[in-house]
DNA sequence: CTGCATCCGTTACGATACTG
DNA sequence: CAGTATCGTAACGGATGCAG
């Protein structure tokens, strides 16, 4: 059944310093933010420095404000570098870091698995009744 | 360097129906929500049905409102089952589904990798200057 | 015991206008 | 070009009170 070894995981957790524990949470939180992964993917896919407006074109639906914020946070987190060229008109280039790249590599199998299992999700969602009238005796709770 | 194969990824994306594409995004969005992963981990670790208040005890810092919301969303998404027992006092039990369990299994390596690399994140964050005065010629932008 | 309803402050997000 | 400033809206999240 390929379960997660929670005992080991907890042991690992307890070996972390409080600061490190906090940091791990922060990292998880950061990559969970709305545009973060999308922006990172765009930069990783490009594989080369990208200007602000190029990124904006490729992250469909993002506002200038949110893009700025997301990129700055990624920079703080060491996942993206930001380079300002002292020119007129201004040029700013963003590039994914080694750390960011590796993080995406870790995340990729999750995405692949999700895509490969969309249909199971579809089924699961279709079978959702939506009321509180679950019957405990019909276990796979489809159609009470 | 173990990169992500973006070409293949894009090809996979385009083979998805618009509905499926939307669903994948929804799934990603859902698991990115603040308490989702934590709640799922607690249920998975327990490995057996848990009552509302037991879950609440183990998800440190969550409010009742947020826990209710999170659990309901997980139920909708097919990641958690909710069973109401028609008793007095009321009893409601939550349990992770097969799909939810598998999703966590997929996510676990990411967490392991993050923990194993905390120190790199620490270094990256420590080296962040925080102003816009990046010098493009001193690449690893520590101390302009 | 579960968990909904309400209030209320904080944060997130988008649109628009403006600056170096 | 790459933002910042400002505004308005919407979602989030905690605390409290209450119902079944």
């Amino acid at each position: 059944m390929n379960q997660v070894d929670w005992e080991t995981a907890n042991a690992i957790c307890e070996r972390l310093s409080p600061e490190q524990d906090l940091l791990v949470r922060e990292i998880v939180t950061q990559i969970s933010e709305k545009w973060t992964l999308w922006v990172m993917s765009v930069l990783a896919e490009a594989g080369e420095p990208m200007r602000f407006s190029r990124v904006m074109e490729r992250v469909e639906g993002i506002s200038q404000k949110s893009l700025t914020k997301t990129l700055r946070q990624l920079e703080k987190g060491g996942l993206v570098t930001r380079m300002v060229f002292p020119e007129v008109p201004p040029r700013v280039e963003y590039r994914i870091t080694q750390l960011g790249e590796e993080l995406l590599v870790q995340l990729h199998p999750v995405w692949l698995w999700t895509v490969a299992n969309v249909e199971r999700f579809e089924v699961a969602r279709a079978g959702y009744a939506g009321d509180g009238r679950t019957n405990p005796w019909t276990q796979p709770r489809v159609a009470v």
Side-chain angles (χ1 to χ4, degrees), chain A:
Chain A
M1 223 231 240
N2 204 13
Q3 300 236 6
V4 171
D5 181 354
W6 294 102
E7 269 191 51
T8 307
N10 285 329
I12 292 174
C13 251
E14 272 152 41
R15 243 178 275 130
L16 294 174
S17 73
E19 297 76 33
Q20 290 180 327
D21 183 57
L22 188 66
L23 182 53
V24 171
R25 285 159 199 258
E26 271 178 34
I27 295 163
V28 173
T29 303
Q30 176 169 33
I31 65 177
S32 316
E33 268 155 25
K34 186 166 179 181
W35 301 105
T36 304
L37 284 178
W38 200 345
V39 169
M40 283 179 71
S41 311
V42 164
L43 288 173
E45 189 180 352
E48 54 180 12
M50 277 179 94
R51 303 187 62 159
F52 185 90
S53 32
R54 296 295 137 264
V55 180
M56 182 127 176
E57 280 166 16
R58 304 224 41 184
V59 183
E60 217 173 312
I62 198 172
S63 69
Q64 208 178 41
K65 183 177 163 185
S66 300
L67 181 55
T68 301
K69 193 188 155 200
T70 305
L71 285 168
R72 292 299 168 84
Q73 282 176 174
L74 285 171
E75 192 198 2
K76 266 191 226 176
L79 268 14
V80 157
T81 57
R82 173 174 182 267
M83 284 204 285
V84 181
F85 293 82
E87 300 174 1
V88 174
R91 186 165 107 238
V92 181
E93 289 186 346
Y94 296 91
R95 188 206 299 233
I96 193 133
T97 62
Q98 175 70 26
L99 203 56
E101 178 88 41
E102 286 177 37
L103 181 55
L104 284 182
V105 170
Q106 298 299 318
L107 248 4
H108 197 241
V110 182
W111 181 80
L112 284 175
W113 177 86
T114 308
V115 171
N117 289 271
V118 208
E119 297 185 10
R120 293 174 67 199
F121 279 95
E122 287 178 334
V123 172
R125 291 181 173 224
Y128 170 68
D131 48 34
R133 291 181 281 112
T134 315
N135 183 342
W137 315 120
T138 58
Q139 243 296 30
R141 75 184 303 291
V142 193
V144 45

